[in-house]
């Protein structure tokens, strides 16, 4: 080490992240890790004064302890908003909710509002004009309009002005962050009209890559939820970023550059650093073009110390270090100089493979969310996915009855994922070579890199099996399919089921060796040994009972 002083300027502030230790859990060791990873603020869900998703939490203690590590605390609102700002008792009501929250924790740096968590009974006729928690009015069951949390309601500015006034009586410097995540799908006109009428003393947060339609090899894919497969920015982000810049509203991005998205739900990070660099570069371009200044770097799936967020740290400073140089240095440090080139080879292969990922809602809430523990459902015989009773979301965010948004696209999606599988396997072979070349002292780290890549490959294979299984289910349901076609489909389903049983069993030693695989903070363990063995039993039940029963129901062969 050379003695001396170095001055670096952060290019993004704040850099907010949820806990990677457990949802809303921040022991000092986690705060220390967050600070060393370069983030400067933590996010905690709040349901009221000193109440989070995990129950009681002393928020002032969190503010004090975070401050010792140079970290700010942002409160992510889960409070219910029952009053419209026009209601005569609205200010009194919000004094009793947000006012009480801020009085209980005056040291919070900011508060984050997102549609689904802060919706109020809007008067915008494009919505149902009630929140999800309000009683359903007569005939309301057939109302197809979105709830106010999913539409850029024209009266959000009045709601924000009222709530901001209440909050800033207690904390005049509070950073009030308004996030448009839930209505990025809506037409540009009402979205931009909302930004044109927002108060300018708040910060606007926009998700960087979502709602973008991307054609890959003739298949239209859409970034429905967080994905690393498209570096961004999407048109939704670009349109709102320009509108915020034109009005002088501070701009933040939900960027997920702590290293994880919903691409695969039960891994610590996505080991595609050279693809993440494309997002870092795009974020810097947005900083130059639209004044992007702050980042949210994870949602409740948290984060994990990794080469990805280490490289983000080096990329988000001025002066900025050369990315390739830092990636090579991290690889040498982790696995030694002889094995490092093979690690870089694996990272580059995976960084190209991720571009063929298919970010559909069905896959991200289905097989990609939990990987090899995802069941194979026969026909419409849905199953209940087991989960811990104390989990914040658990299996409520896993859809086990797989249906495709566009059945005609499934074959094309399979082709993309098969190409991804081949490239991922090439990267895994390179990582295996790194394990073999690593010195004994560094081999455990090389094995950890390999194990993560191996587990992701198994998640990818599960998704391919589920898509092929879905197509075979369509044959069984099709009135045009004759008995011969149905019998052939059943035979193929047995083969697929056996392959998926082997895939699930292959995952067991991986999750047994690394307790971070198969876990996500809001779902808890979903792909541990217990879940994988449950999945094997479920698939055997399909093979031994459901398929033979259906086969007997078919007309005899001619």
């Amino acid at each position: 080490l050379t003695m001396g002083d170095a001055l670096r300027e952060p290019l993004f502030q704040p850099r907010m992240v949820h806990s990677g230790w457990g949802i809303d859990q921040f022991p000092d060791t986690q705060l220390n890790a967050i600070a060393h990873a370069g983030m400067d603020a933590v996010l905690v869900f709040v349901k009221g004064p000193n109440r989070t998703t995990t129950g009681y939490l002393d928020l002032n203690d969190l503010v004090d302890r975070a401050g010792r590590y140079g970290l700010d605390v942002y409160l992510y609102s889960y409070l219910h908003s029952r009053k419209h700002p026009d209601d005569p008792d609205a200010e009194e009501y919000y004094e009793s909710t947000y006012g009480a929250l801020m009085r209980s924790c005056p040291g919070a740096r900011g508060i984050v509002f997102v549609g689904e968590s802060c919706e109020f009974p809007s008067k915008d006729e494009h919505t149902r004009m009630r929140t999800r928690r309000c009683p359903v009015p007569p005939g309301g069951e057939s109302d197809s309009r979105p709830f106010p949390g999913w539409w850029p309601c024209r009266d959000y500015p009045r709601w924000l002005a009222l709530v901001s006034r209440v909050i800033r009586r207690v904390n005049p410097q509070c950073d009030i962050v308004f996030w448009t995540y839930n209505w990025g799908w809506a037409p540009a006109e009402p979205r931009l009209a909302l930004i044109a009428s927002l108060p300018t003393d708040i910060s606007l947060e926009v998700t960087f890559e979502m709602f973008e339609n991307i054609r890959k090899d003739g298949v239209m894919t859409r970034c429905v939820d967080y994905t690393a497969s498209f570096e961004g920015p999407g048109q939704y982000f670009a349109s709102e970023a320009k509108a915020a810049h034109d009005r002088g509203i501070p701009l933040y991005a939900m960027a997920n550059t702590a290293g994880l998205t919903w691409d695969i739900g039960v891994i610590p990070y996505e080991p595609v650093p050279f693809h993440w660099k494309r997002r870092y570069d795009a974020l810097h371009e947005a900083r130059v073009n639209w004044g992007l200044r702050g980042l949210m770097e994870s949602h409740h799936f948290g984060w994990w110390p990794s080469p990805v967020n280490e490289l983000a740290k080096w990329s988000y400073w001025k002066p900025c270090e050369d990315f390739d140089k830092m990636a090579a240095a991290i690889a040498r440090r982790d696995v030694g100089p002889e094995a490092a080139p093979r690690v870089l080879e694996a990272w580059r292969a995976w960084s190209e493979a991720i571009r063929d990922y298919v970010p559909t809602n069905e896959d991200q809430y289905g097989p990609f969310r939990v990987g090899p523990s995802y069941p194979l459902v026969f026909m419409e015989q849905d199953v209940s996915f087991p989960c811990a009773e104390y989990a914040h979301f658990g299996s409520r965010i896993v859809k086990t009855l797989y249906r495709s948004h566009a059945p005609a696209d499934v074959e094309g999606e399979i082709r993309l994922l098969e190409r991804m599988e081949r490239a991922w396997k090439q990267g895994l072979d390179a990582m295996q070579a790194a394990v073999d070349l690593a010195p004994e002292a560094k081999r455990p780290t090389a094995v950890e890199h390999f194990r993560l890549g191996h587990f992701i490959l198994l998640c990818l294979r599960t998704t391919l099996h589920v898509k092929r299984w879905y197509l075979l289910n369509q044959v069984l349901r099709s009135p045009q399919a004759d008995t011969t076609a149905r019998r052939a489909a059943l035979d193929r389903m047995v083969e697929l089921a056996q392959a998926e049983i082997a895939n699930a069993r292959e995952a067991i030693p991986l999750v047994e060796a690394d307790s971070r695989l198969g876990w996500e903070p809001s779902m808890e363990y979903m792909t541990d040994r217990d879940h994988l063995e449950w999945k094997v039993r479920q698939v055997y039940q399909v093979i031994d009972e459901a398929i033979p029963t259906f086969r007997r129901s078919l007309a005899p062969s001619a």
Side-chain angles (χ1 to χ4, degrees):
L1 296 178
T2 302
M3 294 294 292
D5 295 332
L7 180 65
R8 293 189 177 91
E9 176 186 350
L11 297 175
F12 297 108
Q13 287 184 299
R15 292 182 57 194
M16 301 178 278
V17 69
H18 282 276
S19 173
W21 179 263
I23 193 165
D24 294 331
Q25 298 180 40
F26 293 96
D28 283 359
T29 50
Q30 175 68 184
L31 297 172
N32 185 44
I34 289 170
H36 277 82
M39 280 77 85
D40 60 14
V42 299
L43 286 156
V44 58
F45 293 115
V46 290
K47 296 183 174 181
N50 295 318
R51 287 181 56 233
T52 76
T53 58
T54 58
Y56 175 80
L57 177 67
D58 187 333
L59 292 175
N60 290 310
D61 174 67
L62 175 58
V63 168
D64 290 344
R65 289 188 296 108
R68 295 187 197 124
Y69 297 94
L71 302 172
D72 290 323
V73 174
Y74 276 73
L75 309 177
Y76 186 118
S77 175
Y78 266 15
L79 276 66
H80 189 199
S81 297
R82 300 178 184 276
K83 298 291 182 179
H84 189 277
D86 291 347
D87 293 344
D89 58 346
E91 188 148 351
E92 179 182 4
Y93 170 79
Y94 288 111
E95 279 285 358
S96 72
T97 57
Y98 287 112
L101 173 65
M102 300 311 294
R103 285 190 293 274
S104 74
C105 186
R109 176 66 185 87
I111 187 166
V112 177
F113 295 119
V114 65
E116 65 188 73
S117 300
C118 75
E119 63 175 352
F120 68 104
S122 169
K123 295 182 179 179
D124 192 315
E125 67 279 359
H126 294 93
T127 75
R128 302 188 196 191
M129 296 185 282
R130 63 179 181 87
T131 71
R132 288 170 296 163
R133 302 187 195 182
C134 292
V136 180
E141 296 85 351
S142 60
D143 193 339
S144 62
R145 294 175 299 177
F147 287 103
W150 279 262
W151 181 260
C153 304
R154 63 174 181 270
D155 40 7
Y156 263 117
R158 277 184 289 155
W159 181 87
L160 273 171
L162 171 56
V163 172
S164 298
R165 185 166 66 247
V166 167
I167 289 172
R168 287 186 173 140
R169 286 190 190 124
V170 179
N171 185 344
Q173 303 304 316
C174 184
D175 184 11
I176 295 175
V177 183
F178 187 57
W179 182 13
T180 63
Y181 162 86
N182 287 101
W183 50 77
W185 58 271
E189 183 178 357
R191 289 191 292 101
L192 301 185
L194 172 58
I195 295 173
S197 59
L198 286 174
T200 56
D201 62 347
I202 66 165
S203 302
L204 184 74
E205 181 174 326
V206 188
T207 309
F208 200 62
E209 79 282 6
M210 278 178 60
F211 304 113
E212 192 74 2
N213 291 322
I214 305 169
R215 187 168 292 279
K216 301 179 182 180
D217 286 0
V219 179
M220 182 64 73
T221 66
R222 180 173 174 82
C223 301
V224 178
D225 218 333
Y226 312 121
T227 181
S229 61
F230 168 55
E231 59 267 29
Q235 296 180 46
Y236 144 65
F237 177 89
S239 65
E240 297 199 358
K242 182 180 185 303
H245 181 257
D246 290 347
R247 293 208 60 223
I249 298 175
L251 177 65
Y252 298 169
M254 170 48 162
N256 285 309
T257 46
L260 193 58
T261 68
W262 274 134
D263 289 335
I264 299 171
V266 287
I267 59 174
Y269 67 97
E270 293 179 66
V272 293
F274 294 99
H275 185 66
W276 280 114
K277 180 184 183 295
R278 298 182 182 111
R279 179 160 298 180
Y280 306 155
D281 291 345
L283 290 166
H284 283 303
E285 190 173 347
R287 178 176 54 83
V288 172
N289 292 341
W290 301 306
L292 176 64
R293 64 173 69 178
L295 302 175
M296 181 182 286
E297 299 203 63
S298 83
H299 211 315
H300 52 73
F301 37 72
W303 74 290
W304 199 256
S306 73
V308 169
N309 45 63
E310 192 170 359
L311 286 164
K313 177 176 71 173
W314 287 100
S315 299
Y316 292 166
W317 276 331
K318 179 183 179 181
C320 181
E321 295 286 349
D322 179 78
F323 184 91
D324 288 354
K325 172 186 170 184
M326 292 310 304
I330 289 169
R332 285 194 303 273
R333 179 201 65 197
D334 283 357
V335 300
E338 192 174 357
R342 305 311 300 271
V343 169
L344 294 171
E345 181 184 345
W347 284 346
R348 289 188 185 279
W350 292 343
S351 296
E352 290 305 310
I354 193 65
R355 305 182 91 169
D356 284 324
Y357 175 88
V358 178
T360 70
N361 213 47
E362 295 78 14
D363 296 321
Q364 287 194 334
Y365 277 83
F368 271 133
R369 180 143 298 189
V370 296
S373 61
Y374 191 76
L376 293 180
V377 175
F378 185 75
M379 299 291 282
E380 297 290 330
Q381 299 171 11
D382 199 6
V383 297
S384 177
F385 199 98
C387 68
E389 62 179 15
Y390 54 84
H392 177 52
F393 286 126
S395 58
R396 288 191 294 120
I397 54 174
V398 180
K399 308 300 182 186
T400 56
L401 186 57
Y402 187 86
R403 293 189 176 97
S404 175
H405 66 293
D409 287 343
V410 174
E411 291 282 8
E413 293 167 359
I414 288 173
R415 288 195 303 273
L416 288 171
L417 293 180
E418 286 175 336
R419 189 166 68 189
M420 180 181 174
E421 180 188 26
R422 290 192 295 271
W424 201 271
K425 181 64 168 60
Q426 291 173 359
L428 194 63
D429 291 342
M431 194 63 79
Q432 177 64 69
V435 172
D436 297 338
L437 292 168
E440 185 176 352
K442 294 180 181 291
R443 191 161 295 140
T445 301
V447 170
E448 187 175 325
H449 289 323
F450 175 84
R451 191 185 296 122
L452 172 60
H454 188 180
F455 183 80
I456 292 172
L457 180 65
L458 301 183
C459 294
L460 181 53
R461 286 177 177 166
T462 291
T463 304
L464 279 165
H465 289 160
V466 168
K467 285 182 175 293
R468 292 168 182 144
W469 184 269
Y470 168 81
L471 292 177
L472 293 168
N473 263 324
Q474 302 315 298
V475 174
L476 299 184
R477 282 195 286 262
S478 172
Q480 284 76 43
D482 60 16
T483 298
T484 300
R486 289 192 172 98
R487 289 185 184 278
L490 291 171
D491 292 341
R492 178 64 183 128
M493 290 177 96
V494 171
E495 294 173 2
L496 262 180
Q498 291 170 338
E500 182 54 22
I501 286 171
N503 195 60
R505 285 176 168 162
E506 191 174 339
I508 290 175
L510 303 181
V511 302
E512 290 280 273
D514 185 347
S515 63
R516 181 55 184 81
L517 296 177
W519 177 83
E520 189 273 342
S522 72
M523 295 189 294
E524 296 293 337
Y525 278 106
M526 300 295 272
T527 318
D528 54 357
R529 174 185 280 274
D530 286 347
H531 281 85
L532 289 163
E533 290 179 344
W534 166 84
K535 147 69 170 285
V536 169
R537 293 192 299 272
Q538 183 268 329
V539 178
Y540 268 125
Q541 187 175 33
V542 171
I543 293 175
D544 296 338
E545 299 177 20
I547 288 178
T549 299
F550 188 89
R551 198 187 296 272
R552 288 192 294 270
S553 72
L554 297 175
S557 299

